[in-house]
Amino acid sequence: MQIPFVDLKMQYASIKEEVLVEISQVLDGMQLFLGKNVRALESDYAAYCNTEFAIGVSSGTDALHIALRACGLGPGDEVITVSHTFIATVEAIILTGAKPVLIDIDPETYNMDPGQLEKAITPKTKAIIPVHIYGQPADMDPIIEIARAHNLKIIEDACQAHGAAYKGRRTGSMGDAGCFSFYFTKNLGAYGEGGIVTTSDPEIADRCRMARDHGQNAKYHHAMIGINGRLDEIQAAVLRIKLRHLDDWLEQRRLLAQTYNSSLYQDYIVPEEMPWAKHVYHLYVIRTPERDRLREYLESKGVASGMHYPIPVHLQKAWRACRGPELSLPVTEKITQEIISLPMYPELTIEEVDYVCNCVNEFNKSALGVDATK
Ligand SMILES: Cc1ncc(COP(=O)(O)O)c(C=O)c1O
């Protein structure tokens, strides 16, 4: 059996007719940017997240950059986030001229450890970016409490967590702004690049709208320095169709995750859904000290896997290049050696998950000589 890490062809086949009709209408109209599809997606997505506003932008990276700018972040400011994330979270901070301050994560959720926050706060701290990694929300209540006490903005990096919830609240609705990626492999993915910022603050929404379009508030009137961060109409039309299916696709991911959890041997550390969380399993990540050997074994059995992420930001060459300080983040450093992401997409069948589990368990038995049946 050959099992890819992600297969987008089946999903496309299920919505192909609708997608082609909508794309063709956009091309017939030749309004290619910031038109009626972007406006409709913005209102659909704001309703989905329970926020007042959503602002379509050109990627998750730009969503973060634009939201930070809109919240007034710039040179001289510090922003606290995690090292265990895709580098875009940190890049966006650096792009504004602010300084990223990286803290460690919780060993169970792999999200920001709120216990590390207070000691990272200085008089220059202006914002916190919790990252809802793999699709499980960070523990937001203590983060919100600390942010309020120190008058800090919260910008949620929800790029991996469309539709996830914390104590019933949707990701993207808990901070001052929420940032989502529509990278094509995300739970809600465009057929190209895209992203969106959610907020219920009218001033932040206005500034995001300006920042994504060169700071314009009217044609050739630039009220602030912005970027070219616009979302295009073709992507917005595709995303509107996909948004209608999102909840069904998320339920399927959750079912597959349960199947993995109940079939894998207990030697593996499987993801735990926190009592306060609705996890949407953008990635299904397990841990084993034998990660590299397991990956090779799975490859020999036709099963693709991934690592999200093998090198934390504070150990990247780019971090040193921009004079990031030397840091010791023990939890981050340990788990990045052990994490492996198994195939996860809504069209994966239970039989295929069973096959992956058999291979993973077989590795435990044959390669390691351990038979730790559940
Ligand atoms: C946690 C996180 N933040 C930010 C991004 C950046 O999103 P994009 O690739 O759309 O720029 C991603 C996407 O990979 C991500 O996973």
Side-chain angles (χ1 to χ4, degrees):
M1 217 185 248
Q2 291 292 319
I3 311 208
F5 187 61
V6 175
D7 183 347
L8 298 165
K9 290 185 187 145
M10 273 189 279
Q11 189 181 87
Y12 174 54
S14 73
I15 54 174
K16 184 171 177 173
E17 280 171 31
E18 260 182 295
V19 166
L20 293 182
V21 168
E22 290 293 331
I23 290 180
S24 162
Q25 279 181 11
V26 172
L27 293 178
D28 286 342
M30 275 296 151
Q31 163 71 54
L32 297 177
F33 281 90
L34 301 185
K36 66 175 195 244
N37 285 291
V38 170
R39 285 193 296 276
L41 174 72
E42 290 175 341
S43 100
D44 293 352
Y45 203 72
Y48 184 77
C49 293
N50 259 317
T51 58
E52 291 290 322
F53 312 100
I55 301 94
V57 297
S58 47
S59 69
T61 310
D62 284 343
L64 287 159
H65 183 192
I66 287 167
L68 284 162
R69 285 268 176 105
C71 288
L73 274 295
D77 298 332
E78 291 180 1
V79 180
I80 303 175
T81 190
V82 287
S83 181
H84 180 56
T85 181
F86 182 58
I87 196 161
T89 319
V90 177
E91 278 174 330
I93 299 169
I94 293 171
L95 285 170
T96 66
K99 181 180 153 203
V101 175
L102 306 183
I103 62 172
D104 215 346
I105 52 170
D106 173 84
E108 269 181 292
T109 62
Y110 314 131
N111 277 320
M112 175 177 278
D113 176 357
Q116 305 290 321
L117 261 176
E118 292 269 12
K119 56 179 182 247
I121 294 173
T122 75
K124 292 181 178 171
T125 308
K126 293 281 155 38
I128 303 171
I129 307 186
V131 180
H132 306 309
I133 202 86
Y134 306 150
Q136 169 146 260
D139 189 3
M140 290 301 291
D141 277 351
I143 296 174
I144 292 169
E145 199 177 310
I146 293 168
R148 281 209 186 115
H150 295 268
N151 196 22
L152 308 176
K153 298 277 188 213
I154 296 180
I155 292 146
E156 295 172 66
D157 183 338
C159 286
Q160 301 189 2
H162 317 70
Y166 175 82
K167 298 185 181 172
R169 284 176 285 165
R170 279 260 160 89
T171 49
S173 70
M174 294 173 278
D176 296 276
C179 302
F180 295 83
S181 163
F182 297 137
Y183 183 69
F184 72 107
T185 58
K186 293 289 194 263
N187 288 11
L188 181 60
Y191 290 148
E193 302 276 356
I196 206 160
V197 181
T198 50
T199 183
S200 291
D201 181 325
E203 210 174 303
I204 293 176
D206 271 351
R207 286 176 62 80
C208 284
R209 276 185 216 104
M210 285 194 279
R212 76 170 164 191
D213 195 15
H214 300 290
Q216 294 186 98
N217 53 11
K219 200 166 170 71
Y220 302 133
H221 290 252
H222 306 272
M224 65 189 281
I225 293 296
I227 60 170
N228 175 357
R230 299 177 294 247
L231 180 63
D232 75 74
E233 280 286 296
I234 289 183
Q235 302 311 331
V238 169
L239 288 161
R240 284 194 74 208
I241 297 168
K242 287 187 157 203
L243 182 56
R244 288 181 219 129
H245 298 275
L246 181 60
D247 282 341
D248 289 342
W249 292 336
L250 298 182
E251 279 317 306
Q252 196 55 25
R253 284 176 183 271
R254 289 170 56 76
L255 180 75
L256 296 170
Q258 276 166 23
T259 310
Y260 270 126
N261 281 353
S262 58
S263 305
L264 290 171
Y265 281 180
Q266 58 199 4
D267 276 10
Y268 297 103
I269 300 175
V270 298
E272 195 173 337
E273 182 175 47
M274 293 292 114
W276 35 257
K278 180 182 175 192
H279 195 324
V280 290
Y281 299 97
H282 169 55
L283 293 164
Y284 182 84
V285 177
I286 64 168
R287 273 169 62 195
T288 168
E290 297 296 332
R291 187 264 311 277
D292 295 337
R293 281 174 68 200
L294 173 60
R295 288 200 74 204
E296 270 171 39
Y297 183 82
L298 289 178
E299 200 184 339
S300 76
K301 297 288 173 185
V303 176
S305 64
M307 292 180 289
H308 299 87
Y309 297 91
I311 307 172
V313 175
H314 72 285
L315 298 179
Q316 296 283 354
K317 217 171 161 183
W319 179 252
R320 287 192 294 275
C322 64
R323 299 208 188 95
E326 215 165 285
L327 296 170
S328 162
L329 303 173
V331 181
T332 298
E333 285 160 30
K334 179 173 167 52
I335 72 117
T336 45
Q337 307 284 315
E338 298 182 347
I339 42 179
I340 163 169
S341 313
L342 299 180
M344 172 57 83
Y345 48 94
E347 296 74 20
L348 195 65
T349 64
I350 297 285
E351 293 68 39
E352 287 167 328
V353 172
D354 284 344
Y355 175 75
V356 177
C357 290
N358 285 340
C359 294
V360 175
N361 290 340
E362 191 57 41
F363 168 79
N364 206 51
K365 255 192 290 183
S366 64
L368 305 180
V370 189
D371 187 2
T373 322
K374 271 217 154 176

